[in-house]
Structure formats: structure tokens, C-alpha cells
Amino acid sequence: QKEVEQNSGPLSVPEGAIASLNCTYSDRVSQSFFWYRQYSGKSPELIMSIYSNGDKEDGRFTAQLNKASQYVSLLIRDSQPSDSATYLCAVNKGDYGGSQGNLIFGKGTKLSVKP
Amino acid sequence: DAMVIQNPRYQVTQFGKPVTLSCSQTLNHNVMYWYQQKSSQAPKLLFHYYDKDFNNEADTPDNFQSRRPNTSFCFLDIRSPGLGDAAMYLCATSRAGTGINYGYTFGSGTRLTVV
């Protein structure tokens, strides 16, 4: 099983709709979870972090974490064409040695928001 | 503004000719990472420095080396680039040792082409 799995998409939603992006991870001891947005040809940009079970909201973005199911998701409300990008899920490598901070990335889900 | 800067933005090198990519940061973060990202793939960790301590991933080819002469700078050396090394190389930094993983700050990346 891959360490961090995402549906590669593309996920296409109309402008103004809710986009739902999903991610599963394999390491049960992982403690930190992140969503990065990556525009084509650009580097990843951090948009959300979540550490505890439940929901975390920041503007139009909501991250959801369920550690028992090893599942993390990102909801984008009122999707805009400028949200069209690849969204990378990242999970910290779960050992507690020097690599505690290392992130393992999924391949990303490509989101397309149609006007 | 505090940031992570990578140079050059685009690099073209000849097959087998050594090349060096550079990264600098003004964030005073103690951890610096090098990731390789090929088209439509997840960023793959090559190595990282935790302060001066070098940590190599087990599957990073020997062709890749790194140097961190001081806190602010980190270099990626590719001794004999092959066509398969063409990719985006991402430098990232993080602040570790606080008990919380805040995620990474990425540089703008260097797109390497091997001809």
C-alpha cells in the first residue's frame, strides 16, 4: 500500500460549487497533516494544516481528519476558477526520531473549476 | 520578506555534466530539504539537513549529493546527470524541535532539463 493515496482526478466542478478532495494514509502514528496547492509549473503552497480529529475551517477551506479511518479531506466552498490547481496531501513520517518532521506527499488531485 | 530562494529557476545541463542547484533561506529554519518532483508525480524526498546533520533517504541515488555550509544555504549537486534526472527540484525549510510540525515553506523550484 502506498503511504499517501489520492485520487489523481481530474475533478471538475462548476464555479460556486463545493469541491471535495480526499486522502488516505498508511502510517497510523502520523500526527500532522497538510494540504498544499500547486499550480502548474509552480512550487507547492501550504493552505491548511490539521493535527486533531474533526474539522478545521479557514475561509473557504475546511480540512477534516479521522485518524481512526486514516483519512483526511479538504473541502473548498464557493469554488472559483482560480482554485484550479493540483492539491497535494502531505502526512508527516510517523517515527519519532530525527525524521519526525519529514513529510510524505501524495501524487495530488487535479481540480478544475469551470466558469 | 522572509523567504526561500532557489537559483536558477531553470537549468539546462548536458548529459553527464555536473550541475549544482542552490537554495537560500531567510527564515532561520533549522531543517532544509531537497525534493525531486517529476511530472504528475508526488514530490520525493532526496535528503534533508537537521541543523548540520545530513540525512540521506535510502533510495536516493549516489549521483545526488548535498552541502549545507551554513544555516542559510543548501546546495544540491548532481554529479553525472542522466535523462531520468530531468525534473523539478524543490527546496523546502521547516522549524523542527518545537513539538509541532508546522509544515514546509517551499522555494520556487528549479526546473532541470538534461540534453
Side-chain angles (χ1 to χ4, degrees):
Chain A
Q1 182 186 0
K2 294 180 181 177
E3 294 188 77
V4 179
E5 291 202 63
Q6 297 180 254
N7 187 327
S8 61
L11 173 66
S12 184
V13 300
E15 184 175 357
I18 296 175
S20 179
L21 307 165
N22 304 313
C23 171
T24 58
Y25 60 95
S26 61
D27 192 337
R28 288 190 171 274
V29 300
S30 294
Q31 297 293 322
S32 308
F33 307 86
F34 305 89
W35 284 98
Y36 284 82
R37 177 175 61 200
Q38 187 173 28
Y39 293 112
S40 181
K42 304 295 186 181
S43 64
E45 172 194 10
L46 180 64
I47 55 171
M48 288 289 286
S49 60
I50 188 166
Y51 307 98
S52 303
N53 282 328
D55 295 359
K56 179 182 178 182
E57 186 175 318
D58 184 0
R60 296 186 297 113
F61 299 98
T62 298
Q64 299 174 317
L65 174 62
N66 183 326
K67 290 185 180 179
S69 300
Q70 295 174 241
Y71 176 91
V72 58
S73 65
L74 179 70
L75 300 177
I76 306 175
R77 290 181 300 281
D78 188 24
S79 296
Q80 301 297 310
S82 59
D83 295 326
S84 298
T86 296
Y87 289 80
L88 301 172
C89 174
V91 176
N92 82 298
K93 194 172 180 181
D95 59 65
Y96 290 89
S99 60
Q100 182 178 2
N102 293 2
L103 298 185
I104 306 298
F105 287 84
K107 291 177 65 174
T109 297
K110 187 171 184 178
L111 173 66
S112 177
V113 181
K114 304 294 186 184
Chain B
D1 288 342
M3 55 181 22
V4 181
I5 300 171
Q6 289 188 246
N7 284 305
R9 184 74 178 88
Y10 300 94
Q11 175 73 57
V12 180
T13 190
Q14 291 180 337
F15 183 95
K17 183 175 181 180
V19 64
T20 296
L21 310 181
S22 72
C23 177
S24 64
Q25 56 128 343
T26 59
L27 298 162
N28 203 32
H29 283 172
N30 55 344
V31 191
M32 296 187 75
Y33 307 84
W34 282 104
Y35 279 79
Q36 178 194 63
Q37 187 179 27
K38 297 184 178 180
S39 181
S40 300
Q41 294 187 19
K44 178 181 179 297
L45 181 63
L46 296 174
F47 23 61
H48 75 277
Y49 277 92
Y50 192 123
D51 294 321
K52 295 182 179 180
D53 294 333
F54 176 71
N55 297 272
N56 199 31
E57 293 300 297
D59 58 354
T60 298
D62 292 340
N63 197 28
F64 292 85
Q65 303 288 325
S66 184
R67 297 170 283 137
R68 188 180 186 185
N70 53 53
T71 301
S72 301
F73 285 87
C74 195
F75 300 97
L76 170 61
D77 301 309
I78 308 176
R79 294 192 295 187
S80 181
L83 297 178
D85 297 327
M88 173 79 89
Y89 289 88
L90 297 165
C91 174
T93 70
S94 73
R95 184 170 35 128
T98 64
I100 298 175
N101 188 332
Y102 293 100
Y104 296 168
T105 301
F106 280 94
S108 57
T110 294
R111 171 74 64 184
L112 178 68
T113 300
V114 182
V115 298

